[in-house]
């Protein structure tokens, strides 16, 4: 049984003056897929994430989440609709506690009245208990629950990465966009992250689109990969196909790198 398409991008392009940052990019992601978007620095990968999430408006093209165009929606609305992301440079509320960072992503799920909130009535207390329970559950899945009441700034780098993923999950995404999630992690942390992303995909039945420069991570976790160069997709396919694509080798992976991986296999 084929999986339905969760996210679809059609002819996505953006020009900054005379610079073509993204040029005619089209792809789709099926429900439950883990998909990689790779390419050299400056290829336009993060620009695509910014287009998907509404930070930039495209010069042309369209973006569909579950067949609904996102173009008229603002960033926060796209998040509420099911498109959530992390960032290449970690963006946490570092002077808030770990658990409060997660709770900030749940504000749209709160339905008690202003009066109940001011006087901390039964509706307020019930929803706050539920939100705290869900936040602890997410932190537990990421191995962070013991740090729930620590300041986010006090977490080691790798755990801050995990906290950002937990916060992105707290909004209840259908598609999770991960921008270099393994950046700065050691091999042990990277291996743990790989298993965590797979577990989260299965547990929450979400699709994942990730940007990553760690090719071992990409090849091991992704079912399908798109390769971007100078704002255009130059190759697409399963990991084995991408590793053997001459255009990819020339543009990004490098022949020596692939030879080394083959010797290590």
């Amino acid at each position: 049984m084929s999986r339905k398409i969760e996210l679809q991008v059609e002819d996505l392009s953006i020009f900054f003056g005379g610079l073509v940052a993204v040029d005619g990019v089209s792809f789709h992601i099926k429900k439950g897929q883990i998909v990689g978007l790779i390419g050299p620095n400056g290829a336009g990968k993060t620009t695509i994430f910014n287009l998907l999430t509404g930070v930039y408006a495209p010069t042309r093209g369209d973006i569909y989440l579950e067949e609904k165009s996102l173009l008229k929606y603002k960033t926060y609305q796209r998040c509420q609709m099911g498109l959530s992301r992390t960032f290449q440079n970690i963006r946490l509320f570092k002077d808030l506690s770990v658990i409060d960072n997660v709770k900030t992503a749940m504000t749209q799920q709160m339905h008690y009245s202003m009066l109940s909130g001011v006087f901390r009535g039964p509706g307020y207390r019930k929803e706050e208990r539920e939100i705290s329970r869900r936040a602890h559950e997410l932190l537990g899945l990421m191995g962070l629950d013991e740090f729930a009441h620590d300041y986010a700034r006090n977490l080691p780098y790798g755990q801050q990465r995990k906290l950002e993923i937990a916060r992105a999950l707290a909004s209840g995404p259908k598609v999770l966009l991960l921008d270099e999630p393994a950046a700065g992690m050691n091999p042990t942390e990277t291996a743990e992250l790989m298993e965590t992303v797979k577990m989260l995909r299965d547990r929450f039945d979400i699709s994942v689109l990730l940007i990553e420069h760690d090719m071992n991570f990409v090849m091991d976790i992704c079912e399908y990969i798109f390769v971007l160069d100078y704002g255009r997709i130059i190759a697409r396919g399963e990991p084995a196909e991408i590793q053997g694509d001459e255009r990819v080798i020339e543009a990004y992976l490098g022949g020596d790198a692939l030879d080394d991986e083959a010797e290590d296999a």
Side-chain angles (χ1 to χ4, degrees):
M1 182 175 173
S2 61
R3 292 178 283 187
K4 72 172 185 177
I5 293 175
E6 197 79 74
L7 179 70
Q8 184 162 346
V9 172
E10 292 184 356
D11 193 30
L12 197 63
S13 305
I14 186 168
F15 308 151
F16 296 108
L19 174 66
V20 182
V22 176
D23 188 8
V25 167
S26 298
F27 63 84
H28 66 261
I29 299 171
K30 295 179 181 178
K31 186 173 181 63
Q33 267 191 321
I34 300 178
V35 176
L37 181 63
I38 68 171
N41 289 328
K45 303 181 299 295
T46 296
T47 301
I48 287 178
F49 270 28
N50 287 335
L51 288 165
L52 294 176
T53 55
V55 176
Y56 299 148
T59 305
R60 69 169 186 263
D62 212 331
I63 303 159
Y64 300 91
L65 182 65
E66 293 188 325
E67 300 183 351
K68 185 172 187 177
S69 174
L70 298 180
L71 293 191
K72 68 179 181 180
Y73 296 100
K74 298 182 184 298
T75 299
Y76 77 91
Q77 293 172 314
R78 296 185 194 196
C79 182
Q80 292 172 355
M81 293 166 70
L83 195 62
S84 188
R85 73 173 291 182
T86 65
F87 294 87
Q88 183 176 348
N89 300 311
I90 297 172
R91 298 185 187 179
L92 295 173
F93 300 110
K94 295 193 175 183
D95 291 325
L96 291 181
S97 69
V98 168
I99 193 167
D100 282 343
N101 265 270
V102 176
K103 286 181 176 181
T104 60
M106 299 180 179
T107 53
Q108 75 273 13
Q109 300 164 32
M110 299 178 183
H111 304 295
Y112 53 78
S113 68
M114 182 181 296
L115 193 64
S116 182
V118 170
F119 292 101
R120 298 178 181 268
Y124 166 85
R125 293 196 301 271
K126 180 180 179 181
E127 289 200 30
E128 282 294 323
R129 283 195 300 270
E130 176 59 18
I131 284 170
S132 291
R133 183 196 67 77
R134 291 186 57 243
H136 277 292
E137 179 184 17
L138 287 171
L139 291 176
L141 290 172
M142 303 302 294
L144 297 174
D145 200 33
E146 64 181 294
F147 308 109
H149 300 291
D150 294 349
Y151 286 118
R153 66 169 180 264
N154 293 334
L155 290 180
Y157 183 85
Q159 291 179 338
Q160 288 191 24
R161 283 274 177 202
K162 288 184 176 182
L163 176 56
E164 196 175 33
I165 295 173
R167 186 178 63 185
L169 285 166
S171 64
K174 299 180 178 91
V175 179
L176 180 62
L177 309 176
L178 301 178
D179 196 344
E180 297 197 32
M185 289 189 172
N186 62 42
T188 300
E189 290 172 328
T190 299
E192 290 176 354
L193 177 64
M194 191 182 307
E195 294 308 312
T196 298
V197 171
K198 291 177 182 176
M199 177 271 294
L200 295 172
R201 183 272 308 271
D202 295 340
R203 185 181 181 97
F204 296 105
D205 196 23
I206 58 176
S207 307
V208 179
L209 176 63
L210 62 89
I211 296 170
E212 186 53 64
H213 285 290
D214 184 329
M215 285 301 100
N216 288 326
F217 183 91
V218 171
M219 297 300 169
D220 286 346
I221 196 173
C222 293
E223 301 169 54
Y224 205 82
I225 298 170
F226 300 100
V227 185
L228 202 67
D229 194 27
Y230 293 105
R232 295 182 175 182
I233 291 179
I234 62 168
R236 62 182 74 207
E238 296 178 358
E241 296 175 280
I242 295 301
Q243 285 180 307
D245 191 300
E246 293 295 333
R247 294 166 299 176
V248 178
I249 294 169
E250 181 179 353
Y252 184 48
L253 295 178
D256 292 341
L258 288 180
D259 290 343
D260 291 342
E261 285 189 11
E263 290 175 4
D264 291 340

